[in-house]
Amino acid sequence: MYKFERKTSKKICDHAEKVIDDMNEGMVIVQAGGNGLLENGREVTVNAIMKVVERKRKKNVRVAVTSLLRRLACNEEYERLRKEVNRDLHEKILAMKAESIRKREVGSSFLDMNDLIQAACFLEDGAHLSQEGETKLFQRFIRWIRATHLLMEGRMD
C-alpha cells in the first residue's frame, strides 16, 4: 500500500490514476482525503476523484471510494464542503453502479465512513487516524474486499 503523507490532492490523484492504469483486473480502494478541499472546492475535488474511478471502466477493476473523513480540528466551511463532496460522490457512484448492473459490467462502491470513525479514532492533530481508527478503516476495507472477491468469483448475486 502506498501511503500519502503531505501530498497535494493532485499528486495523490495522479498516483492513483497510474496505479489503475497499470492494473488489468482486481480491486482498488481510493481513500478520499480532505487535503486541498478548501483550496480546490467541491467541484474540483469531486471531479478529481471521479476521474480516477472512471478510468477503471477501461479495465476489469472494481473501485471503492471512501467518504472524506471528518476532521476534529476543522472549520465549518470544511465540514460543509466535506458533506457536500461525500453526497456528490455517493450519488455519482450509485448512478455508475446502476449503469454497471444494467450493462453487466464491473461496478464501483462508495464506502461511507462517517459513523465508523469517531473522535476517539484520531490522533491529537485531529486530522490523522490513530491506530484504532486505522484498524476500523482497514476492517471495513477487508469486508469490502471479501464481498467483492466473492462477487467477482460469481459466488454472490
Side-chain angles (χ1 to χ4, degrees), residues 18 52 70 75 78 80 104 108 111 120 125 132 138 141:
K18 181 175 179 353
V52 172
R70 67 180 52 86
N75 60 34
Y78 175 88
R80 181 186 64 77
R104 297 191 177 273
S108 302
L111 304 178
D125 67 6
E132 177 185 355
F138 285 109
F141 291 171

Side-chain angles (χ1 to χ4, degrees), residues 69-86:
L69 299 176
R70 67 180 52 86
R71 291 186 176 177
L72 301 181
C74 70
N75 60 34
E76 290 179 21
E77 177 68 4
Y78 175 88
E79 186 61 14
R80 181 186 64 77
L81 282 172
R82 182 187 74 82
K83 288 178 179 178
E84 290 174 357
V85 166
N86 285 341

Side-chain angles (χ1 to χ4, degrees), residues 33-90:
N35 293 353
L37 180 59
L38 292 173
E39 296 81 15
N40 296 327
R42 173 183 175 181
E43 186 176 339
V44 169
T45 302
V46 170
N47 289 341
I49 294 167
M50 290 307 298
K51 182 179 176 187
V52 172
V53 174
E54 290 168 0
R55 292 180 80 87
K56 68 87 189 150
R57 286 179 176 236
K58 295 185 277 182
K59 307 281 184 169
N60 189 25
V61 177
R62 290 191 182 269
V63 179
V65 175
T66 69
S67 58
L68 272 69
L69 299 176
R70 67 180 52 86
R71 291 186 176 177
L72 301 181
C74 70
N75 60 34
E76 290 179 21
E77 177 68 4
Y78 175 88
E79 186 61 14
R80 181 186 64 77
L81 282 172
R82 182 187 74 82
K83 288 178 179 178
E84 290 174 357
V85 166
N86 285 341
R87 185 187 66 238
D88 291 352
L89 289 172
H90 194 186

Side-chain angles (χ1 to χ4, degrees), residues 110-129:
F110 181 78
L111 304 178
D112 189 349
M113 302 294 182
N114 285 315
D115 293 334
L116 180 71
I117 306 298
Q118 302 299 319
C121 296
F122 288 91
L123 295 174
E124 289 179 13
D125 67 6
H128 297 94
L129 294 178

